[in-house]
Amino acid sequence: MNKIYFEELPSTNTYLKENYNKYKNQDIIIANKQTNGRGRFDRKWDSINDITISFLFKNNNYNHPIISSLAVFETLKSLGLNPKIKWPNDIFVDNKKISGILIESIFESNEKKCDIVGIGINMNKSLNYESSGILEYADVSRDYVIDLLINTYKRLLSCSEEYLRNEYINNSLLIGKVVRYKDEEYMVIGISHDFKIQLKNKRGIKEISCDEVKL
Ligand code: BTN
């Protein structure tokens, strides 16, 4: 995995989407400052001196939603933090978001060419919304965390699906909790094999593939 550093980019994901042909499988783009960063549901993710990093995976079949969440989870855990994974790809510490992940795929004539896994991790807590940052809990440099994250990702690429699923479920914030989804309350009863969240209330069981559930 080669690291390519930029002082400033609008978005590490957008940059890779536009330039993936110039890079090799498993190259990594890192920006010190991100000025037009993107999150899920068209949210913004701008940052300075936090971690904004995108991994390029060409012609692959890895389970990035699970691997990327666990890579951040295990990185933070080994720094002494107590993280939890909020389905699908958010990482929380002390009930506040510390990391978000945006996974995008590129298709050419209906064939998947590559996946871009963009990870944002706060070093500092954001002033704009309630979040947490690594520096509140651990005295570490950004470069140290980046290397730890990359090595953890690499290690997880060779783990079995069963290990990854169990780790994800065992460290999930939502399982067993009551959540709100489209103005109704549900109990979260599990995560399916195809990565849907399973919700139950007196009207029955629902599986949701990509949406937001609120605690
Ligand atoms: C979310 O929580 O909605 C996902 C946020 C993902 C942010 C990262 S930062 C690196 C990469 N580049 C982007 O523009 N977005 C992702």
Side-chain angles (χ1 to χ4, degrees), residues 61-68 70-71 74 152-170 193:
N61 262 323
Y62 291 117
N63 191 338
H64 292 296
I66 290 192
I67 294 176
S68 57
L70 281 176
E74 290 191 8
T152 309
Y153 213 117
K154 239 190 258 176
R155 179 168 49 74
L156 290 169
L157 288 176
S158 58
C159 289
S160 70
E161 271 292 316
E162 198 194 348
Y163 168 85
L164 296 170
R165 229 182 99 72
N166 287 340
E167 275 286 291
Y168 185 98
I169 287 172
N170 291 339
H193 276 275

PDB file of all heavy atoms in Angstrom, residues 61-68 70-71 74 152-170 193:
ATOM      1  N   ASN A  61     -13.111  -8.041  -4.317  1.00  0.00           N
ATOM      2  CA  ASN A  61     -14.394  -8.466  -3.774  1.00  0.00           C
ATOM      3  C   ASN A  61     -14.421  -8.404  -2.263  1.00  0.00           C
ATOM      4  O   ASN A  61     -15.134  -9.165  -1.625  1.00  0.00           O
ATOM      5  CB  ASN A  61     -14.661  -9.924  -4.196  1.00  0.00           C
ATOM      6  CG  ASN A  61     -15.559  -9.932  -5.388  1.00  0.00           C
ATOM      7  OD1 ASN A  61     -16.458  -9.086  -5.470  1.00  0.00           O
ATOM      8  ND2 ASN A  61     -15.307 -10.845  -6.314  1.00  0.00           N
ATOM      9  N   TYR A  62     -13.583  -7.573  -1.694  1.00  0.00           N
ATOM     10  CA  TYR A  62     -13.543  -7.489  -0.232  1.00  0.00           C
ATOM     11  C   TYR A  62     -14.833  -6.879   0.306  1.00  0.00           C
ATOM     12  O   TYR A  62     -15.496  -6.102  -0.371  1.00  0.00           O
ATOM     13  CB  TYR A  62     -12.370  -6.615   0.218  1.00  0.00           C
ATOM     14  CG  TYR A  62     -11.014  -7.215  -0.031  1.00  0.00           C
ATOM     15  CD1 TYR A  62     -10.115  -6.594  -0.891  1.00  0.00           C
ATOM     16  CD2 TYR A  62     -10.629  -8.390   0.606  1.00  0.00           C
ATOM     17  CE1 TYR A  62      -8.859  -7.132  -1.118  1.00  0.00           C
ATOM     18  CE2 TYR A  62      -9.370  -8.927   0.377  1.00  0.00           C
ATOM     19  CZ  TYR A  62      -8.487  -8.302  -0.479  1.00  0.00           C
ATOM     20  OH  TYR A  62      -7.243  -8.828  -0.704  1.00  0.00           O
ATOM     21  N   ASN A  63     -15.111  -7.218   1.557  1.00  0.00           N
ATOM     22  CA  ASN A  63     -16.301  -6.684   2.219  1.00  0.00           C
ATOM     23  C   ASN A  63     -15.927  -5.371   2.934  1.00  0.00           C
ATOM     24  O   ASN A  63     -15.757  -5.330   4.148  1.00  0.00           O
ATOM     25  CB  ASN A  63     -16.809  -7.734   3.215  1.00  0.00           C
ATOM     26  CG  ASN A  63     -18.175  -7.390   3.736  1.00  0.00           C
ATOM     27  OD1 ASN A  63     -18.587  -6.229   3.695  1.00  0.00           O
ATOM     28  ND2 ASN A  63     -18.884  -8.369   4.255  1.00  0.00           N
ATOM     29  N   HIS A  64     -15.791  -4.293   2.132  1.00  0.00           N
ATOM     30  CA  HIS A  64     -15.283  -3.042   2.709  1.00  0.00           C
ATOM     31  C   HIS A  64     -16.183  -2.398   3.762  1.00  0.00           C
ATOM     32  O   HIS A  64     -15.652  -1.796   4.700  1.00  0.00           O
ATOM     33  CB  HIS A  64     -14.959  -2.038   1.597  1.00  0.00           C
ATOM     34  CG  HIS A  64     -13.797  -2.486   0.770  1.00  0.00           C
ATOM     35  ND1 HIS A  64     -12.533  -2.625   1.288  1.00  0.00           N
ATOM     36  CD2 HIS A  64     -13.715  -2.862  -0.517  1.00  0.00           C
ATOM     37  CE1 HIS A  64     -11.719  -3.051   0.346  1.00  0.00           C
ATOM     38  NE2 HIS A  64     -12.412  -3.211  -0.753  1.00  0.00           N
ATOM     39  N   PRO A  65     -17.521  -2.510   3.660  1.00  0.00           N
ATOM     40  CA  PRO A  65     -18.314  -1.894   4.737  1.00  0.00           C
ATOM     41  C   PRO A  65     -17.921  -2.442   6.109  1.00  0.00           C
ATOM     42  O   PRO A  65     -17.803  -1.693   7.076  1.00  0.00           O
ATOM     43  CB  PRO A  65     -19.755  -2.266   4.370  1.00  0.00           C
ATOM     44  CG  PRO A  65     -19.715  -2.410   2.881  1.00  0.00           C
ATOM     45  CD  PRO A  65     -18.363  -3.006   2.563  1.00  0.00           C
ATOM     46  N   ILE A  66     -17.703  -3.740   6.191  1.00  0.00           N
ATOM     47  CA  ILE A  66     -17.339  -4.331   7.490  1.00  0.00           C
ATOM     48  C   ILE A  66     -15.859  -4.094   7.794  1.00  0.00           C
ATOM     49  O   ILE A  66     -15.490  -3.685   8.900  1.00  0.00           O
ATOM     50  CB  ILE A  66     -17.682  -5.844   7.502  1.00  0.00           C
ATOM     51  CG1 ILE A  66     -19.205  -5.994   7.516  1.00  0.00           C
ATOM     52  CG2 ILE A  66     -17.047  -6.542   8.703  1.00  0.00           C
ATOM     53  CD1 ILE A  66     -19.721  -7.371   7.811  1.00  0.00           C
ATOM     54  N   ILE A  67     -14.988  -4.326   6.794  1.00  0.00           N
ATOM     55  CA  ILE A  67     -13.540  -4.205   7.050  1.00  0.00           C
ATOM     56  C   ILE A  67     -13.170  -2.771   7.446  1.00  0.00           C
ATOM     57  O   ILE A  67     -12.406  -2.552   8.396  1.00  0.00           O
ATOM     58  CB  ILE A  67     -12.728  -4.652   5.810  1.00  0.00           C
ATOM     59  CG1 ILE A  67     -12.930  -6.153   5.570  1.00  0.00           C
ATOM     60  CG2 ILE A  67     -11.241  -4.341   5.980  1.00  0.00           C
ATOM     61  CD1 ILE A  67     -12.257  -6.696   4.315  1.00  0.00           C
ATOM     62  N   SER A  68     -13.724  -1.783   6.754  1.00  0.00           N
ATOM     63  CA  SER A  68     -13.334  -0.398   7.057  1.00  0.00           C
ATOM     64  C   SER A  68     -13.814   0.010   8.447  1.00  0.00           C
ATOM     65  O   SER A  68     -13.082   0.657   9.202  1.00  0.00           O
ATOM     66  CB  SER A  68     -13.873   0.559   5.991  1.00  0.00           C
ATOM     67  OG  SER A  68     -15.269   0.440   5.884  1.00  0.00           O
ATOM     68  N   LEU A  70     -14.284  -1.969  10.978  1.00  0.00           N
ATOM     69  CA  LEU A  70     -13.440  -2.663  11.965  1.00  0.00           C
ATOM     70  C   LEU A  70     -12.029  -2.095  12.000  1.00  0.00           C
ATOM     71  O   LEU A  70     -11.398  -2.057  13.060  1.00  0.00           O
ATOM     72  CB  LEU A  70     -13.380  -4.159  11.658  1.00  0.00           C
ATOM     73  CG  LEU A  70     -14.596  -4.967  12.090  1.00  0.00           C
ATOM     74  CD1 LEU A  70     -14.458  -6.411  11.633  1.00  0.00           C
ATOM     75  CD2 LEU A  70     -14.775  -4.923  13.605  1.00  0.00           C
ATOM     76  N   ALA A  71     -11.530  -1.636  10.839  1.00  0.00           N
ATOM     77  CA  ALA A  71     -10.168  -1.062  10.808  1.00  0.00           C
ATOM     78  C   ALA A  71     -10.126   0.174  11.703  1.00  0.00           C
ATOM     79  O   ALA A  71      -9.196   0.354  12.500  1.00  0.00           O
ATOM     80  CB  ALA A  71      -9.772  -0.720   9.382  1.00  0.00           C
ATOM     81  N   GLU A  74     -10.678  -1.029  15.470  1.00  0.00           N
ATOM     82  CA  GLU A  74      -9.502  -1.670  16.107  1.00  0.00           C
ATOM     83  C   GLU A  74      -8.359  -0.673  16.305  1.00  0.00           C
ATOM     84  O   GLU A  74      -7.632  -0.742  17.286  1.00  0.00           O
ATOM     85  CB  GLU A  74      -9.046  -2.887  15.287  1.00  0.00           C
ATOM     86  CG  GLU A  74     -10.051  -4.027  15.387  1.00  0.00           C
ATOM     87  CD  GLU A  74      -9.547  -5.357  14.815  1.00  0.00           C
ATOM     88  OE1 GLU A  74      -8.363  -5.466  14.468  1.00  0.00           O
ATOM     89  OE2 GLU A  74     -10.375  -6.281  14.729  1.00  0.00           O
ATOM     90  N   THR A 152      -3.780  -1.979  10.126  1.00  0.00           N
ATOM     91  CA  THR A 152      -4.962  -2.724  10.594  1.00  0.00           C
ATOM     92  C   THR A 152      -5.821  -3.131   9.391  1.00  0.00           C
ATOM     93  O   THR A 152      -6.318  -4.259   9.315  1.00  0.00           O
ATOM     94  CB  THR A 152      -5.778  -1.852  11.578  1.00  0.00           C
ATOM     95  OG1 THR A 152      -4.892  -1.350  12.568  1.00  0.00           O
ATOM     96  CG2 THR A 152      -6.872  -2.652  12.247  1.00  0.00           C
ATOM     97  N   TYR A 153      -6.006  -2.199   8.453  1.00  0.00           N
ATOM     98  CA  TYR A 153      -6.804  -2.507   7.253  1.00  0.00           C
ATOM     99  C   TYR A 153      -6.192  -3.700   6.519  1.00  0.00           C
ATOM    100  O   TYR A 153      -6.883  -4.658   6.150  1.00  0.00           O
ATOM    101  CB  TYR A 153      -6.856  -1.290   6.323  1.00  0.00           C
ATOM    102  CG  TYR A 153      -8.153  -1.169   5.551  1.00  0.00           C
ATOM    103  CD1 TYR A 153      -8.994  -0.094   5.718  1.00  0.00           C
ATOM    104  CD2 TYR A 153      -8.562  -2.171   4.650  1.00  0.00           C
ATOM    105  CE1 TYR A 153     -10.193   0.025   5.007  1.00  0.00           C
ATOM    106  CE2 TYR A 153      -9.753  -2.067   3.954  1.00  0.00           C
ATOM    107  CZ  TYR A 153     -10.560  -0.972   4.136  1.00  0.00           C
ATOM    108  OH  TYR A 153     -11.756  -0.881   3.445  1.00  0.00           O
ATOM    109  N   LYS A 154      -4.843  -3.620   6.339  1.00  0.00           N
ATOM    110  CA  LYS A 154      -4.119  -4.690   5.636  1.00  0.00           C
ATOM    111  C   LYS A 154      -4.351  -6.034   6.308  1.00  0.00           C
ATOM    112  O   LYS A 154      -4.633  -7.036   5.664  1.00  0.00           O
ATOM    113  CB  LYS A 154      -2.617  -4.376   5.704  1.00  0.00           C
ATOM    114  CG  LYS A 154      -1.946  -4.219   4.370  1.00  0.00           C
ATOM    115  CD  LYS A 154      -0.448  -4.160   4.538  1.00  0.00           C
ATOM    116  CE  LYS A 154       0.062  -2.753   4.448  1.00  0.00           C
ATOM    117  NZ  LYS A 154       1.477  -2.573   4.676  1.00  0.00           N
ATOM    118  N   ARG A 155      -4.236  -6.041   7.636  1.00  0.00           N
ATOM    119  CA  ARG A 155      -4.404  -7.297   8.384  1.00  0.00           C
ATOM    120  C   ARG A 155      -5.828  -7.828   8.219  1.00  0.00           C
ATOM    121  O   ARG A 155      -6.044  -9.017   8.006  1.00  0.00           O
ATOM    122  CB  ARG A 155      -4.091  -7.042   9.870  1.00  0.00           C
ATOM    123  CG  ARG A 155      -4.248  -8.252  10.764  1.00  0.00           C
ATOM    124  CD  ARG A 155      -3.664  -8.036  12.149  1.00  0.00           C
ATOM    125  NE  ARG A 155      -4.068  -6.804  12.800  1.00  0.00           N
ATOM    126  CZ  ARG A 155      -5.258  -6.584  13.329  1.00  0.00           C
ATOM    127  NH1 ARG A 155      -6.189  -7.517  13.278  1.00  0.00           N
ATOM    128  NH2 ARG A 155      -5.544  -5.434  13.899  1.00  0.00           N
ATOM    129  N   LEU A 156      -6.817  -6.939   8.265  1.00  0.00           N
ATOM    130  CA  LEU A 156      -8.211  -7.393   8.196  1.00  0.00           C
ATOM    131  C   LEU A 156      -8.573  -7.946   6.815  1.00  0.00           C
ATOM    132  O   LEU A 156      -9.486  -8.766   6.686  1.00  0.00           O
ATOM    133  CB  LEU A 156      -9.152  -6.249   8.577  1.00  0.00           C
ATOM    134  CG  LEU A 156      -9.119  -5.860  10.060  1.00  0.00           C
ATOM    135  CD1 LEU A 156      -9.863  -4.547  10.293  1.00  0.00           C
ATOM    136  CD2 LEU A 156      -9.730  -6.957  10.939  1.00  0.00           C
ATOM    137  N   LEU A 157      -7.840  -7.520   5.777  1.00  0.00           N
ATOM    138  CA  LEU A 157      -8.132  -8.022   4.428  1.00  0.00           C
ATOM    139  C   LEU A 157      -7.981  -9.534   4.338  1.00  0.00           C
ATOM    140  O   LEU A 157      -8.587 -10.178   3.494  1.00  0.00           O
ATOM    141  CB  LEU A 157      -7.196  -7.357   3.397  1.00  0.00           C
ATOM    142  CG  LEU A 157      -7.449  -5.890   3.082  1.00  0.00           C
ATOM    143  CD1 LEU A 157      -6.380  -5.362   2.134  1.00  0.00           C
ATOM    144  CD2 LEU A 157      -8.832  -5.673   2.475  1.00  0.00           C
ATOM    145  N   SER A 158      -7.146 -10.098   5.247  1.00  0.00           N
ATOM    146  CA  SER A 158      -6.955 -11.551   5.153  1.00  0.00           C
ATOM    147  C   SER A 158      -7.758 -12.317   6.215  1.00  0.00           C
ATOM    148  O   SER A 158      -7.576 -13.519   6.378  1.00  0.00           O
ATOM    149  CB  SER A 158      -5.470 -11.895   5.244  1.00  0.00           C
ATOM    150  OG  SER A 158      -4.973 -11.391   6.452  1.00  0.00           O
ATOM    151  N   CYS A 159      -8.650 -11.639   6.921  1.00  0.00           N
ATOM    152  CA  CYS A 159      -9.468 -12.348   7.931  1.00  0.00           C
ATOM    153  C   CYS A 159     -10.702 -12.981   7.285  1.00  0.00           C
ATOM    154  O   CYS A 159     -11.190 -12.501   6.255  1.00  0.00           O
ATOM    155  CB  CYS A 159      -9.921 -11.379   9.013  1.00  0.00           C
ATOM    156  SG  CYS A 159      -8.579 -10.865  10.077  1.00  0.00           S
ATOM    157  N   SER A 160     -11.202 -14.028   7.925  1.00  0.00           N
ATOM    158  CA  SER A 160     -12.363 -14.731   7.357  1.00  0.00           C
ATOM    159  C   SER A 160     -13.627 -13.882   7.514  1.00  0.00           C
ATOM    160  O   SER A 160     -13.734 -13.065   8.431  1.00  0.00           O
ATOM    161  CB  SER A 160     -12.562 -16.065   8.068  1.00  0.00           C
ATOM    162  OG  SER A 160     -13.010 -15.820   9.385  1.00  0.00           O
ATOM    163  N   GLU A 161     -14.599 -14.125   6.638  1.00  0.00           N
ATOM    164  CA  GLU A 161     -15.894 -13.433   6.706  1.00  0.00           C
ATOM    165  C   GLU A 161     -16.524 -13.639   8.068  1.00  0.00           C
ATOM    166  O   GLU A 161     -17.127 -12.738   8.638  1.00  0.00           O
ATOM    167  CB  GLU A 161     -16.849 -13.993   5.643  1.00  0.00           C
ATOM    168  CG  GLU A 161     -16.791 -13.311   4.308  1.00  0.00           C
ATOM    169  CD  GLU A 161     -17.315 -11.863   4.319  1.00  0.00           C
ATOM    170  OE1 GLU A 161     -18.369 -11.590   4.917  1.00  0.00           O
ATOM    171  OE2 GLU A 161     -16.640 -11.017   3.715  1.00  0.00           O
ATOM    172  N   GLU A 162     -16.365 -14.858   8.605  1.00  0.00           N
ATOM    173  CA  GLU A 162     -17.008 -15.176   9.887  1.00  0.00           C
ATOM    174  C   GLU A 162     -16.406 -14.337  11.017  1.00  0.00           C
ATOM    175  O   GLU A 162     -17.117 -13.759  11.840  1.00  0.00           O
ATOM    176  CB  GLU A 162     -16.822 -16.664  10.175  1.00  0.00           C
ATOM    177  CG  GLU A 162     -17.789 -17.174  11.216  1.00  0.00           C
ATOM    178  CD  GLU A 162     -17.390 -18.528  11.752  1.00  0.00           C
ATOM    179  OE1 GLU A 162     -16.494 -19.174  11.174  1.00  0.00           O
ATOM    180  OE2 GLU A 162     -17.976 -18.921  12.784  1.00  0.00           O
ATOM    181  N   TYR A 163     -15.074 -14.236  11.018  1.00  0.00           N
ATOM    182  CA  TYR A 163     -14.406 -13.424  12.041  1.00  0.00           C
ATOM    183  C   TYR A 163     -14.868 -11.968  11.928  1.00  0.00           C
ATOM    184  O   TYR A 163     -15.214 -11.318  12.917  1.00  0.00           O
ATOM    185  CB  TYR A 163     -12.880 -13.510  11.879  1.00  0.00           C
ATOM    186  CG  TYR A 163     -12.145 -12.482  12.704  1.00  0.00           C
ATOM    187  CD1 TYR A 163     -11.831 -12.737  14.037  1.00  0.00           C
ATOM    188  CD2 TYR A 163     -11.798 -11.225  12.174  1.00  0.00           C
ATOM    189  CE1 TYR A 163     -11.184 -11.771  14.816  1.00  0.00           C
ATOM    190  CE2 TYR A 163     -11.151 -10.263  12.944  1.00  0.00           C
ATOM    191  CZ  TYR A 163     -10.853 -10.542  14.251  1.00  0.00           C
ATOM    192  OH  TYR A 163     -10.229  -9.587  15.018  1.00  0.00           O
ATOM    193  N   LEU A 164     -14.884 -11.460  10.689  1.00  0.00           N
ATOM    194  CA  LEU A 164     -15.228 -10.050  10.478  1.00  0.00           C
ATOM    195  C   LEU A 164     -16.652  -9.763  10.944  1.00  0.00           C
ATOM    196  O   LEU A 164     -16.917  -8.783  11.636  1.00  0.00           O
ATOM    197  CB  LEU A 164     -15.091  -9.689   8.991  1.00  0.00           C
ATOM    198  CG  LEU A 164     -13.678  -9.772   8.396  1.00  0.00           C
ATOM    199  CD1 LEU A 164     -13.723  -9.623   6.883  1.00  0.00           C
ATOM    200  CD2 LEU A 164     -12.770  -8.696   8.993  1.00  0.00           C
ATOM    201  N   ARG A 165     -17.563 -10.657  10.582  1.00  0.00           N
ATOM    202  CA  ARG A 165     -18.973 -10.474  10.963  1.00  0.00           C
ATOM    203  C   ARG A 165     -19.151 -10.495  12.473  1.00  0.00           C
ATOM    204  O   ARG A 165     -19.826  -9.658  13.051  1.00  0.00           O
ATOM    205  CB  ARG A 165     -19.780 -11.619  10.349  1.00  0.00           C
ATOM    206  CG  ARG A 165     -20.991 -11.199   9.619  1.00  0.00           C
ATOM    207  CD  ARG A 165     -21.728 -12.416   9.096  1.00  0.00           C
ATOM    208  NE  ARG A 165     -22.830 -12.753  10.000  1.00  0.00           N
ATOM    209  CZ  ARG A 165     -23.937 -12.045  10.106  1.00  0.00           C
ATOM    210  NH1 ARG A 165     -24.100 -10.973   9.392  1.00  0.00           N
ATOM    211  NH2 ARG A 165     -24.896 -12.402  10.940  1.00  0.00           N
ATOM    212  N   ASN A 166     -18.496 -11.479  13.115  1.00  0.00           N
ATOM    213  CA  ASN A 166     -18.635 -11.583  14.575  1.00  0.00           C
ATOM    214  C   ASN A 166     -18.063 -10.361  15.281  1.00  0.00           C
ATOM    215  O   ASN A 166     -18.668  -9.830  16.203  1.00  0.00           O
ATOM    216  CB  ASN A 166     -17.932 -12.840  15.107  1.00  0.00           C
ATOM    217  CG  ASN A 166     -18.724 -14.079  14.750  1.00  0.00           C
ATOM    218  OD1 ASN A 166     -19.924 -13.986  14.459  1.00  0.00           O
ATOM    219  ND2 ASN A 166     -18.067 -15.230  14.733  1.00  0.00           N
ATOM    220  N   GLU A 167     -16.877  -9.922  14.820  1.00  0.00           N
ATOM    221  CA  GLU A 167     -16.259  -8.734  15.432  1.00  0.00           C
ATOM    222  C   GLU A 167     -17.170  -7.516  15.269  1.00  0.00           C
ATOM    223  O   GLU A 167     -17.324  -6.717  16.182  1.00  0.00           O
ATOM    224  CB  GLU A 167     -14.927  -8.422  14.724  1.00  0.00           C
ATOM    225  CG  GLU A 167     -13.751  -9.191  15.268  1.00  0.00           C
ATOM    226  CD  GLU A 167     -13.324  -8.657  16.619  1.00  0.00           C
ATOM    227  OE1 GLU A 167     -12.811  -7.532  16.691  1.00  0.00           O
ATOM    228  OE2 GLU A 167     -13.537  -9.396  17.615  1.00  0.00           O
ATOM    229  N   TYR A 168     -17.733  -7.399  14.075  1.00  0.00           N
ATOM    230  CA  TYR A 168     -18.607  -6.249  13.798  1.00  0.00           C
ATOM    231  C   TYR A 168     -19.823  -6.279  14.731  1.00  0.00           C
ATOM    232  O   TYR A 168     -20.157  -5.287  15.372  1.00  0.00           O
ATOM    233  CB  TYR A 168     -19.046  -6.275  12.320  1.00  0.00           C
ATOM    234  CG  TYR A 168     -19.858  -5.069  11.916  1.00  0.00           C
ATOM    235  CD1 TYR A 168     -19.262  -3.994  11.278  1.00  0.00           C
ATOM    236  CD2 TYR A 168     -21.217  -4.999  12.204  1.00  0.00           C
ATOM    237  CE1 TYR A 168     -20.008  -2.870  10.927  1.00  0.00           C
ATOM    238  CE2 TYR A 168     -21.967  -3.885  11.868  1.00  0.00           C
ATOM    239  CZ  TYR A 168     -21.356  -2.824  11.227  1.00  0.00           C
ATOM    240  OH  TYR A 168     -22.107  -1.717  10.889  1.00  0.00           O
ATOM    241  N   ILE A 169     -20.457  -7.450  14.804  1.00  0.00           N
ATOM    242  CA  ILE A 169     -21.678  -7.560  15.603  1.00  0.00           C
ATOM    243  C   ILE A 169     -21.376  -7.382  17.098  1.00  0.00           C
ATOM    244  O   ILE A 169     -22.082  -6.682  17.816  1.00  0.00           O
ATOM    245  CB  ILE A 169     -22.380  -8.903  15.303  1.00  0.00           C
ATOM    246  CG1 ILE A 169     -23.010  -8.802  13.909  1.00  0.00           C
ATOM    247  CG2 ILE A 169     -23.425  -9.253  16.354  1.00  0.00           C
ATOM    248  CD1 ILE A 169     -23.589 -10.078  13.365  1.00  0.00           C
ATOM    249  N   ASN A 170     -20.274  -7.989  17.554  1.00  0.00           N
ATOM    250  CA  ASN A 170     -19.954  -7.906  18.988  1.00  0.00           C
ATOM    251  C   ASN A 170     -19.621  -6.487  19.445  1.00  0.00           C
ATOM    252  O   ASN A 170     -19.665  -6.199  20.627  1.00  0.00           O
ATOM    253  CB  ASN A 170     -18.760  -8.810  19.338  1.00  0.00           C
ATOM    254  CG  ASN A 170     -19.147 -10.269  19.226  1.00  0.00           C
ATOM    255  OD1 ASN A 170     -20.328 -10.595  19.283  1.00  0.00           O
ATOM    256  ND2 ASN A 170     -18.156 -11.146  19.054  1.00  0.00           N
ATOM    257  N   HIS A 193     -26.812 -11.313   6.875  1.00  0.00           N
ATOM    258  CA  HIS A 193     -25.598 -11.670   6.140  1.00  0.00           C
ATOM    259  C   HIS A 193     -25.328 -10.716   4.988  1.00  0.00           C
ATOM    260  O   HIS A 193     -24.188 -10.545   4.582  1.00  0.00           O
ATOM    261  CB  HIS A 193     -25.667 -13.121   5.656  1.00  0.00           C
ATOM    262  CG  HIS A 193     -25.226 -14.057   6.746  1.00  0.00           C
ATOM    263  ND1 HIS A 193     -23.909 -14.368   6.959  1.00  0.00           N
ATOM    264  CD2 HIS A 193     -25.922 -14.684   7.714  1.00  0.00           C
ATOM    265  CE1 HIS A 193     -23.803 -15.159   8.005  1.00  0.00           C
ATOM    266  NE2 HIS A 193     -25.019 -15.379   8.484  1.00  0.00           N
TER     267      HIS A 193
END
